[in-house]
Amino acid sequence: MSAWLCAIDHKRVGILYMLSALLFFLAGGMEAMVMRAQLAAPNLKLVAPEVYNQMFTMHGTTMIFLVAMPVLTGFGVYLVPLMIGANEMALPRLGALSFWLQLFGGVLLYISFASGSAPDAGWFSYAPLSEKPFSGGAGLDYWALALLLITGGSIGSAVNLIVTIATSRAPGMTMRLVPLFVWSTFITSVMIIFALPALAASLVMLLSDRLLHARFFDPAQGGSPLLWQHYFWIFGHPEVYIVVLPAFGMISEIIPVFSRKTIFGYPLMATSSVAIAFLSYGVWAHHMFAVALGRNFLAVFAASSMLIAVPTGMKIFSWIATMWGGAIRFTTAMLFAVAFLLEFTIGGLSGVAFATVPVDWQMTDTYFVVAHIHYVLFGGTVFALFAGAYYWFPKISGRMLDESLGRWNFWLVVIGFNAAFFVQHFLGLLGMRRRVYTYPDLPWFGALNVISTIGAAILAFGILLFCANVLMSLYFGAPAGDDPWNAWTLEWAAASPPPLENFAEIPRVRSRRPLWDLKHPEAPDWTRA
Amino acid sequence: MGSPFSPHSAQTHLIAAVFSVVLVIAGVIFLVVAAGVIYSSVRYRSRGVTAAEPRQVFGSRKLEILWTVVPLAIVTGLFVITVRAMVLIDAPQESGQTPDLVITGHQWWWDARYPNGALATGDIHIPAARRLLVRIESTDVIHDFWVPELARKMDAVPGRPSYIWLEADAPGTYSGACSEFCGAQHAWMRFRMIAEPEASFNAWLLRQIQPLAEPTGAAAEGARLFRTKKCEDCHALGKKGPDLTHVATREFLGAGISRNTPENLALWLTNPQAAKPGNRMPDTPLTANERAALLAYLESLQ
């Protein structure tokens, strides 16, 4: 126990991140199921309006800040040193501090339930709704304080990852040779350092308004409600890429190994991530297209938002080109990676629809948005995380996840996810608004909502099956060996699970696939690239 | 709720057209991606035979240029369409022109003020086939005015009014709702736009500013109670609650949460929190006789 509480080894800290994220994932999932139950039929009264509003606020906050960010940080902290041939993070104590800040932030957020007033202003808590006169309980104070702790933890782990990647790479591994997962983690960490302070600033302003009678967002006293929106989305849109880019990195590791081909267009893959990172700071106002901000102002943000489709499209086509001509093995990890390509494309395309300002003028804040964000964050990030879990679990635990349970897990998640969320596009097109605790009995509303609820139940079952697979395989899984997938990056040169000191001898790196070079002395990569 | 694809104004027709273009392009792109994914999954699937590694391809300058340039061309086209449509749809924000209608969002209902002083709550009447300049306001938190068939949505930001074009090409009833989360009863912040031919609209508008007949009998007692029980302290223009001057003519109560029947109206007098949980109306202790008198008065407000 104390070995875990006092852990500073990057592998233990990484596992702590992943486990805490899994627990919060189940909590956020339960909140989602309460919402889907309440919406299963028109005019239901399973929960009170305030409770429903707490559910979607906590669901969104949990999934973004307590699941997506920490689990990706966890994968980063666990894998980056192994992938770059290092034995430790550069700043191990900062790593532990960052985790505990993050976890205590999460615990503080959930204590708000015990206080009797959980936050209920939505995960982006627009002022002035989030101000004292309209949200009198302590819920939003918990929310803001918890997010401040999480912000500190996130910045700490980002600094740590940047320093590690910059200084601890194996001899010979230039930045042009690091695995793409490391590249995307590096870019993500830089984004965190520039984006999260905007969130912290907005939270401090909100707390000042709520607790110290400041007037940042009160128009009657010279403040501005839109100030909150600008600050929040200057953080909020880079945040989307913060939780998507590392997932891209995972896909860029997994598809090549199971296609038996090197990644197609490595330099473009890395530079397109950099392009996405740069563009992501110039798109925030597309969350505010329904505010009268002026036509020219909005047009600039429409252009930048549409431009993001270009580097994203490059990635999708490069992944397909990697599969093309390969010898594809459909393990569960690869199934999730391939499904990711299709689901994420749907989310990306509906994103382009929202960048088209007149479409946004109809569809924003409807279920079309709810569908869009879930295709990006679930169809994108979570599908990639499932792929990553099946791919790296053998390295982390030394045992394989069960493949036949994995198939069930995969198909239930695919069917459940699409049933739950694809119909929400139609609900949006029919005029169903997001964040309503109930709806009148309008044509199709009941039928489409009950399909969505059934889909959510199937999805929940698929996720529980994953948890069962993890628990069972920890004890009964087939031993993995060091390199079960015949892979190419350095983590597979370490033992499974890796000992405290990852590598007895730091390998010398001459190409992007050091293990390919070892396995194919007749045609090593460094002779070609 | 109407759909953006059943447009009833020049602006929403244009949005529907742009949206159709976007959906077609998105559909084609998805099919291309899906075809690539499915073809390579099927064609290049390896069935467990341990063969030699396939040929390693590190990239292709030509292909990479292709899938940079083609998406760039597509989004450039979309951008042009977007800007052209925005110019046609968007109303001037600083024209100095007097608005034809001022629509205000409150937690949780809408009302509309007309240049002649008339006030409409919940059911907002407009003349059909006339483009109106509408000013959108909020008195408390941020709301969003949305009638999918008639106009783009527009946020109602406190302290920062904004303007839209609102138009119905044919008489009819079009439903609308608040489309920005605004607190406990965001779900029930619905309203109806009633578009009428010019003549009947003008007649309606005139009726709104004519004084109602003096209430008689129980209704007169109700009118007295409306003052002494301090109902009117909130239920008036510019106050905390919705104006009730023509409440009996409304189809719905509580911005859509229930039909306007005597039983549902009575519930607001006995237990407002049961009528609409979370709303800002306090309990007012009333005897059965007082309740009946107030009901009679409210039902007389045609």
Side-chain angles (χ1 to χ4, degrees):
Chain A
M1 191 67 189
S2 74
W4 287 99
L5 285 178
C6 307
I8 54 168
D9 172 38
H10 76 98
K11 296 179 288 295
R12 292 213 160 173
V13 174
I15 290 169
L16 286 172
Y17 266 114
M18 292 183 227
L19 284 181
S20 76
L22 185 61
L23 286 179
F24 282 116
F25 186 53
L26 296 177
M30 281 191 276
E31 286 146 10
M33 291 313 293
V34 172
M35 288 189 273
R36 280 319 322 167
Q38 164 71 15
L39 294 179
N43 295 312
L44 279 188
K45 288 185 174 132
L46 293 179
V47 293
E50 307 85 64
V51 174
Y52 184 89
N53 297 344
Q54 291 171 2
M55 288 298 125
F56 71 68
T57 302
M58 290 295 279
H59 171 77
T61 308
T62 300
M63 291 306 193
I64 296 283
F65 293 102
L66 304 178
V67 179
M69 288 181 87
V71 76
L72 293 167
T73 304
F75 271 100
V77 167
Y78 191 99
L79 290 173
V80 161
L82 284 162
M83 284 184 154
I84 62 174
N87 280 328
E88 194 35 276
M89 293 288 285
L91 309 163
R93 281 175 185 76
L94 177 63
L97 173 70
S98 305
F99 167 73
W100 292 105
L101 276 175
Q102 163 85 39
L103 183 70
F104 284 129
V107 171
L108 185 63
L109 182 68
Y110 271 78
I111 286 177
S112 67
F113 274 117
S115 83
S117 90
D120 59 359
W123 87 274
F124 43 81
S125 290
Y126 273 2
L129 180 63
S130 56
E131 301 257 66
K132 210 78 184 177
F134 304 104
S135 299
L140 274 145
D141 302 318
Y142 279 97
W143 182 83
L145 284 168
L147 289 195
L148 273 175
L149 286 178
I150 292 167
T151 302
S154 303
I155 293 174
S157 60
V159 168
N160 201 1
L161 283 163
I162 291 172
V163 176
T164 305
I165 296 167
T167 63
S168 306
R169 299 190 308 276
M173 184 184 271
T174 64
M175 278 310 277
R176 298 174 64 90
L177 299 183
V178 299
L180 283 170
F181 177 74
V182 176
W183 250 116
S184 59
T185 301
F186 182 74
I187 296 165
T188 302
S189 303
V190 174
M191 291 177 73
I192 286 176
I193 286 182
F194 286 101
L196 272 284
L199 173 67
S202 58
L203 293 170
V204 168
M205 287 189 275
L206 179 64
L207 282 169
S208 306
D209 271 18
R210 289 180 58 84
L211 304 175
L212 306 172
H213 308 288
R215 291 288 182 269
F216 285 104
F217 309 122
D218 179 358
Q221 307 281 331
S224 164
L226 296 185
L227 183 69
W228 169 269
Q229 296 189 19
H230 283 295
Y231 267 83
F232 190 88
W233 291 121
I234 286 172
F235 144 77
H237 207 83
E239 173 69 12
V240 174
Y241 298 100
I242 286 168
V243 296
V244 166
L245 280 182
F248 286 173
M250 292 181 171
I251 296 297
S252 295
E253 300 300 327
I254 292 164
I255 285 185
V257 166
F258 292 114
S259 304
R260 309 307 306 156
K261 274 179 67 203
T262 189
I263 190 78
F264 189 94
Y266 173 102
L268 196 66
M269 283 304 238
T271 45
S272 59
S273 297
V274 176
I276 290 174
F278 269 109
L279 285 172
S280 76
Y281 287 97
V283 298
W284 79 85
H286 72 215
H287 294 270
M288 305 164 69
F289 280 165
V291 182
L293 291 172
R295 204 180 292 152
N296 298 340
F297 184 82
L298 296 189
V300 171
F301 283 89
S304 58
S305 306
M306 287 177 180
L307 270 182
I308 283 201
V310 176
T312 313
M314 289 174 190
K315 285 182 183 295
I316 298 277
F317 287 112
S318 298
W319 286 319
I320 296 174
T322 305
M323 291 167 64
W324 199 279
I328 300 172
R329 288 182 291 165
F330 278 103
T331 58
T332 305
M334 184 62 175
L335 283 174
F336 272 112
V338 170
F340 161 93
L341 294 180
L342 297 175
E343 311 287 11
F344 180 77
T345 299
I346 294 174
L349 289 170
S350 55
V352 175
F354 280 111
T356 310
V357 180
V359 174
D360 187 278
W361 283 345
Q362 285 279 24
M363 301 317 295
T364 190
D365 286 305
T366 68
Y367 261 83
F368 204 86
V369 176
V370 180
H372 162 67
I373 54 186
H374 285 92
Y375 270 87
V376 171
L377 296 178
F378 200 106
T381 303
V382 178
F383 270 62
L385 281 165
F386 275 122
Y390 277 88
Y391 183 65
W392 280 296
F393 184 86
K395 176 56 56 188
I396 296 170
S397 70
R399 291 179 185 274
M400 307 296 286
L401 280 172
D402 187 80
E403 277 289 309
S404 49
L405 263 181
R407 301 289 145 138
W408 280 98
N409 175 190
F410 172 74
W411 286 110
L412 285 170
V413 166
V414 166
I415 292 166
F417 168 73
N418 285 292
F421 293 106
F422 200 77
V423 294
Q424 295 185 353
H425 291 110
F426 300 115
L427 280 168
L429 291 173
L430 290 170
M432 180 158 165
R433 301 161 293 145
R434 72 192 289 202
R435 298 177 161 186
V436 289
Y437 71 89
T438 191
Y439 50 89
D441 192 4
L442 294 163
W444 293 102
F445 272 46
L448 291 170
N449 270 297
V450 79
I451 293 173
S452 182
T453 299
I454 293 169
I458 297 172
L459 178 58
F461 187 64
I463 289 165
L464 290 179
L465 215 55
F466 170 77
C467 298
N469 197 352
V470 167
L471 280 178
M472 280 174 49
S473 301
L474 271 180
Y475 295 100
F476 309 114
D482 294 355
D483 183 15
W485 310 119
N486 189 12
W488 301 313
T489 39
L490 281 179
E491 76 270 28
W492 305 104
S496 303
L500 182 59
E501 197 179 60
N502 296 334
F503 301 98
E505 189 187 347
I506 303 291
R508 180 159 186 89
V509 175
R510 299 184 69 178
S511 81
R512 286 166 195 150
R513 296 191 295 174
L515 299 199
W516 168 278
D517 298 346
L518 277 178
K519 291 168 187 172
H520 297 272
E522 78 288 356
D525 270 359
W526 48 268
T527 56
R528 318 191 207 193
Chain B
M1 221 43 207
S3 162
F5 281 114
S6 51
H8 276 279
S9 73
Q11 293 79 29
T12 50
H13 267 289
L14 188 54
I15 296 180
V18 172
F19 201 175
S20 305
V21 170
V22 171
L23 287 181
V24 169
I25 293 175
V28 170
I29 295 174
F30 180 74
L31 288 179
V32 169
V33 169
V37 169
I38 291 167
Y39 177 80
S40 40
S41 296
V42 174
R43 170 71 180 76
Y44 300 110
R45 179 166 188 180
S46 154
R47 300 214 174 249
V49 193
T50 36
E53 302 280 17
R55 192 170 71 86
Q56 300 297 303
V57 181
F58 288 80
S60 152
R61 179 70 53 84
K62 269 187 206 151
L63 278 176
E64 286 165 12
I65 290 174
L66 178 75
W67 60 59
T68 308
V69 171
V70 173
L72 202 57
I74 293 172
V75 296
T76 307
L78 263 185
F79 180 68
V80 172
I81 294 173
T82 296
V83 173
R84 291 172 65 119
M86 285 169 75
V87 171
L88 295 171
I89 297 163
D90 209 17
Q93 296 300 318
E94 281 155 11
S95 62
Q97 202 181 327
T98 315
D100 301 299
L101 199 56
V102 178
I103 296 181
T104 308
H106 311 259
Q107 279 182 322
W108 290 275
W109 81 93
W110 295 93
D111 59 26
R113 280 171 286 149
Y114 296 77
N116 73 343
L119 177 73
T121 307
D123 285 351
I124 301 170
H125 291 244
I126 53 169
R130 179 140 67 89
R131 191 177 77 170
L132 308 173
L133 183 68
V134 177
R135 179 174 150 119
I136 307 288
E137 296 181 345
S138 165
T139 53
D140 36 49
V141 301
I142 298 176
H143 302 282
D144 181 281
F145 177 83
W146 190 36
V147 193
E149 292 158 294
L150 302 188
R152 60 158 293 188
K153 59 180 58 166
M154 176 59 90
D155 275 9
V157 181
R160 200 175 184 283
S162 47
Y163 295 83
I164 56 168
W165 294 126
L166 181 66
E167 182 185 352
D169 57 18
T173 301
Y174 306 94
S175 45
C178 174
S179 189
E180 180 72 79
F181 177 64
C182 57
Q185 282 294 349
H186 169 60
W188 295 111
M189 193 169 158
R190 307 176 73 88
F191 60 98
R192 304 191 308 162
M193 301 292 315
I194 297 166
E196 297 177 287
E198 198 80 30
S200 55
F201 169 75
N202 287 333
W204 173 86
L205 193 60
L206 213 59
R207 257 199 327 276
Q208 302 311 300
I209 51 170
Q210 280 158 3
L212 293 173
E214 271 302 305
T216 54
E221 170 63 7
R224 194 186 62 79
L225 286 166
F226 195 76
R227 285 189 299 276
T228 56
K229 294 290 180 183
K230 301 201 181 304
C231 306
E232 66 174 14
D233 286 9
C234 290
H235 287 291
L237 175 61
K239 299 289 175 57
K240 272 190 232 162
D243 178 81
L244 298 178
T245 311
H246 297 280
V247 67
T249 62
R250 286 181 212 154
E251 186 96 15
F252 293 96
L253 294 174
I257 199 167
S258 59
R259 295 219 157 254
N260 189 1
T261 62
E263 300 77 50
N264 288 332
L265 191 56
L267 188 59
W268 281 90
L269 299 179
T270 49
N271 189 350
Q273 291 305 316
K276 191 172 185 179
N279 84 79
R280 307 217 175 278
M281 180 164 165
D283 279 336
T284 307
L286 295 168
T287 66
N289 285 340
E290 288 171 335
R291 219 165 26 236
L294 266 172
L295 261 182
Y297 170 62
L298 292 172
E299 292 292 346
S300 77
L301 296 175
Q302 291 289 336

